[in-house]
Amino acid sequence: MPKTHISTQINGDSYEFLCNTQQTLLDVLRQELDLKGSKEGCATGDCGACSVMMDDRLVCACLVLGAEADGKKIETVEGLSSGSSLDPLQQKFIDLAALQCGICTPGVLVAARALLEKNKSPSEEEVRFWLAGNLCRCTGYDKIVRAVLEVAAEARNA
Amino acid sequence: MNDMTQTNLERALKIVGSRPARPDGVDKVTGRALFGADKSLPNMLVGRVLRSPYAHAKIISIDTSKAEKLEGVKAIITSADFEDFPSEFVPNGEMVVNMKDITRNVMAREKVLYVGHTLAAVAATDEDVAEKALALIDVKYDVLPHVLEVEDAEKSDAPLLHDDMITIGVEPMPTSASNVAKRVEFGLGDVEKGFSEADLIVEREFTTQQVHQGYIEPHACLASVSEDGQAELWCTTQGPFVVRNFCSKLLGFNAAQIRVTASEIGGGFGGKTVVYLEPLALALSRKSCRPVKMEMNRAEVFTSSGPTSGAKIWVKIGVKNNGKITAGDCVLKYQAGAFQGAPVGPGAMCAFAPYDLKNVRAVGFDIVVNRPKVAAYRAPGGPISEYGVESVIDEIAMKIGMDPIDLRLKNAAKEGTVAPYGPKLGPIGMIETLEAAKSHPHYSAPLGANQARGVASGFWFNIGGETSSSITINEDGTVGLTLGTPDIGGSRASMAMMASEELGVPMELIKPIIGDTNSLGFNFLTGGSRATFSTGTTVVESTREAIEELKKRAALLWEVSLDQVEWVDGHARLISGNEPKTMSLAQIAKQAGKTGGPIMANCSMNVTGAGPSLGTHIVDVEVDEETGQVSIVRYTAIQDAGKAIHPAYVEGQMQGGAVQGIGWALNEEYIYNDKGELENTGFLDYRIPVCSDVPMIDTVIVEVPNPNHPYGVRGVGETPIIPPLAAISNAVSRATNKRFDELPLSPPKVLAKLMHG
């Protein structure tokens, strides 16, 4: 089957790739572009480990086709930090031990960053419902929620 | 070691007990960390598995000839590619496995025993070709009746999974085969006499459903076997050495031929302690002489890895009006899945272990059914049996009008108690966790409408086992640690902290890595809450050996005898002499070449003396009487950690375990149809708790030091999943004035009980 030629922007850089029409954006990121930070936990949109931004909208990369990325702007966990400085969320997750095994962490961070872009002062309940699509089996979510709330508070006070 | 412990417990600690950043933190928040599915090799093939569509069937034939002819197919394997083994039990963490069963679970031989059982595997140039090849494999079956529940499986006319399985542990030995693999019994005293002394006896039957560990990372591996038979295996596992030993045995490699490197591991909880894909990928790679990558999808994880048992249990407890328990008795029937090995032994051992009972008995049955073979799941067996006991304790507390914590305090096990499974307990924190619970503000906070509070305790043994780690002092004064237990939740940090505390150098100068199977002696897996305890012990011992060597080098440089040198705060110090003389670790390391060469030490030992960890949880629930929905309103987890090396990660274990327990109590269950097919093979229908389902999980760490660890560590990972089941069930029972005896407490079940009693 002939492959489709796609031009897209990922984490601010231009990318071109060929993909099969049935290939998901997650498969393209991981297999074709070697961006392994987005994880596959279910491939059905239930776990959120593959959360990425597409044109400023939070999506599960496993529910988007690679071909749909054409002309779009994609942001993944690899784009969160800039140079040697981590995103405040990344630093706070380390400081508060908001990760254990770390497999859900990339998706949680991308989703949490999306929340804070939309809502500068989310309540605990808003954080919990926003992150309800990101499964974490290790932490019980406590430290994740605290980290997001603290980053939001620090950004407001900055 | 006791002297050392005293020294550590008495001296002021600088690093241990603080909350530094974990060494692998940046890798894990940037997406840099490589997990099981994240590695690739040039010329790599993709492996896929053909799985049984039937719950129970005889395999008449498997014809792979059409699939072999498909372009792009490079290797196909079936049971013909695996050697058979006689029945032989091998210890594996807290579980025991049998080689005859493992080889049949990895690749079905005479029969398929559950939907999802592996029949064949294919390696091809891409996944489309591999999937097409699977469809071309022609399997002829003779479909047999199946059985899913223990109460059906133990009947004399039940379909037999293994026609040669004679129940072990029954006198006289049965003469015919059954689905009951074994009977175990533990106990003390005279149970009947104890019941005759009771003022009140409560007995009740309970049901729990099969649940899955639910790690977010599916099983994945990458195997590469070269033409001369040398094998490299990258995989997500709790125990690379255990994987090496299973795979070498199953495939006829010797141990030195297979180098296993553990990837970062995306959750395990006991589920990544045995092998599934790993021997298949190695066999396919050996046949094709190309690297083979295999990944399970989520449905395969549910149908074909190792969840834990569903069970039927019966509990009877007798008590005096003053709350003193006179006898406890229970019978536990656990699903083993398709092959024997349910965690009913540990379940029976710990059922009554939080209590000091003179008359106690626990009987367990390990029963095979046409479900996937169970694997370890966080305190394997404990949550199930203790759910039953802790529920009856609560019912008794209500019936005699006693506070449930006071009732537990009245009967609490303590140092010197003879445990129901035999040994006399060392120092343990049951009383301390109960007292912390009672004085916690949560316990006396007011409750809202339709709300009630539940309490339950939990006991878990924890284990030690074979462990090996090493330390190197680099020329610039930095330090390397090589560890053999994969870091599943921050253990690199704990190990570096203990080494830092011993050496007196900043933790940032210490680099811990997880070694592969060629870099250290055998290490048992990360499991049984043993990593911080066992690997921590070897890290402390090897660090102390390195300090001795550093002192020797300083003595050489100063031309004094060794007894003139002591180690203080990262420096050698001359004890005598007119003026104080010190030399830093870095100064000694720099001159290592002229004082005898590189400085390193290792410690390999069978670590013993793990300390049981007790926990007590308090939960407030709200029951919606219209829908049967149970909400968790407030939750507090209290646990004896012995010593929390990194308290944030100890809290994390307590919080994560509590929420897994909440899932077990409220939502999670394997749902089968009448064909024996699992109907909820995804996270949408097998609903683990999501962020909006739970409140903050408050924690209180109690520290009753384990005298057998240099810093008093007990291990904390498993205990916190035990109390939630009963604590929540007790709270729901108190909220509704109806005694619940079935999990999960999902809305339909709660509603049915509210409507029909």
Side-chain angles (χ1 to χ4, degrees), chain B residues 441-459:
Chain B
H442 180 175
Y443 197 59
S444 50
L447 287 159
N450 298 319
Q451 294 183 358
R453 182 162 296 142
V455 177
S457 295
F459 170 101

Side-chain angles (χ1 to χ4, degrees), chain B residues 502-555:
Chain B
E502 293 289 324
L503 277 171
V505 302
M507 182 185 160
E508 300 74 48
L509 299 184
I510 300 174
K511 170 90 172 177
I513 63 156
I514 310 301
D516 62 49
T517 53
N518 278 25
S519 63
L520 290 168
F522 180 83
N523 271 273
F524 221 20
L525 29 86
T526 297
S529 304
R530 68 176 289 275
T532 311
F533 170 68
S534 303
T535 305
T537 298
T538 65
V539 164
V540 171
E541 292 296 319
S542 58
T543 304
R544 288 176 183 174
E545 198 182 313
I547 290 170
E548 278 308 296
E549 187 60 29
L550 287 159
K551 282 161 61 185
K552 269 185 214 162
R553 304 301 178 93

Side-chain angles (χ1 to χ4, degrees), chain B residues 209-238:
Chain B
Q209 296 299 323
Q210 180 150 51
V211 295
H212 196 275
Q213 299 86 349
Y215 32 82
I216 307 299
E217 179 201 30
H219 297 263
C221 66
L222 171 58
S224 182
V225 185
S226 64
E227 288 75 357
D228 63 353
Q230 298 301 309
E232 296 277 339
L233 178 66
W234 162 272
C235 61
T236 174
T237 177
Q238 294 174 238

Side-chain angles (χ1 to χ4, degrees), chain A residues 26 30 38-44 47-50 62 101-104 135 137, chain B residues 34-39 48 51 212-222 234-238 263-269 271-274 276-278 293-306 681-683:
Chain A
L26 180 60
R30 289 179 54 84
S38 305
K39 306 300 180 188
E40 181 178 309
C42 68
T44 50
C47 80
C50 64
C62 72
C101 80
I103 193 83
C104 73
L135 299 181
R137 192 61 157 170
Chain B
L34 295 178
F35 290 82
D38 295 344
K39 199 162 169 170
R48 283 284 187 276
R51 299 191 181 277
H212 196 275
Q213 299 86 349
Y215 32 82
I216 307 299
E217 179 201 30
H219 297 263
C221 66
L222 171 58
W234 162 272
C235 61
T236 174
T237 177
Q238 294 174 238
S263 70
E264 296 303 325
I265 172 169
F269 315 106
K272 291 175 181 166
T273 55
V274 283
Y276 301 106
L277 298 176
E278 296 83 358
K293 183 170 180 173
M294 299 186 80
E295 297 172 55
M296 282 194 194
N297 61 35
R298 180 52 56 182
E300 288 177 296
V301 173
F302 278 117
T303 62
S304 309
S305 66
T681 60
F683 280 132

Side-chain angles (χ1 to χ4, degrees), chain B residues 270-522:
Chain B
K272 291 175 181 166
T273 55
V274 283
V275 291
Y276 301 106
L277 298 176
E278 296 83 358
L280 308 182
L282 282 166
L284 287 167
S285 181
R286 179 160 67 181
K287 218 163 180 176
S288 61
C289 282
R290 287 174 66 171
V292 175
K293 183 170 180 173
M294 299 186 80
E295 297 172 55
M296 282 194 194
N297 61 35
R298 180 52 56 182
E300 288 177 296
V301 173
F302 278 117
T303 62
S304 309
S305 66
T308 195
S309 314
K312 282 275 179 199
I313 60 186
W314 167 87
V315 178
K316 179 177 172 183
I317 297 177
V319 67
K320 289 279 196 196
N321 283 332
N322 67 5
K324 193 75 194 161
I325 295 173
T326 59
D329 198 4
C330 70
V331 176
L332 315 167
K333 294 176 180 177
Y334 283 19
Q335 298 162 1
F339 300 95
Q340 62 183 295
V344 74
M349 288 159 77
C350 67
F352 290 102
Y355 303 104
D356 183 355
L357 305 185
K358 303 294 174 250
N359 305 300
V360 59
R361 177 171 59 191
V363 175
F365 295 94
D366 179 9
I367 301 172
V368 295
V369 290
N370 293 111
R371 296 170 180 250
K373 179 186 176 352
V374 301
Y377 180 20
R378 207 168 195 160
I384 300 167
S385 62
E386 296 188 56
Y387 152 66
V389 170
E390 291 295 297
S391 295
V392 172
I393 297 257
D394 191 67
E395 189 173 353
I396 286 173
M398 287 181 80
K399 286 196 165 143
I400 64 173
M402 197 166 173
D403 176 276
I405 292 182
D406 287 341
L407 176 58
R408 286 177 172 84
L409 275 168
K410 183 133 195 135
N411 297 283
K414 51 190 173 297
E415 184 169 5
T417 293
V418 179
Y421 56 92
K424 195 179 269 191
L425 296 171
I428 57 162
M430 177 66 172
I431 290 171
E432 288 79 354
T433 69
L434 287 167
E435 284 173 347
K438 202 168 177 200
S439 62
H440 194 283
H442 180 175
Y443 197 59
S444 50
L447 287 159
N450 298 319
Q451 294 183 358
R453 182 162 296 142
V455 177
S457 295
F459 170 101
W460 189 249
F461 318 91
N462 300 330
I463 61 170
E466 286 174 88
T467 314
S468 175
S469 64
S470 67
I471 179 169
T472 52
I473 309 293
N474 301 322
E475 312 82 81
D476 62 352
T478 60
V479 177
L481 288 181
T482 306
L483 314 166
T485 42
D487 180 353
I488 207 162
S491 62
R492 284 182 185 90
S494 316
M495 303 308 155
M497 288 168 76
M498 285 184 267
S500 166
E501 190 73 56
E502 293 289 324
L503 277 171
V505 302
M507 182 185 160
E508 300 74 48
L509 299 184
I510 300 174
K511 170 90 172 177
I513 63 156
I514 310 301
D516 62 49
T517 53
N518 278 25
S519 63
L520 290 168
F522 180 83

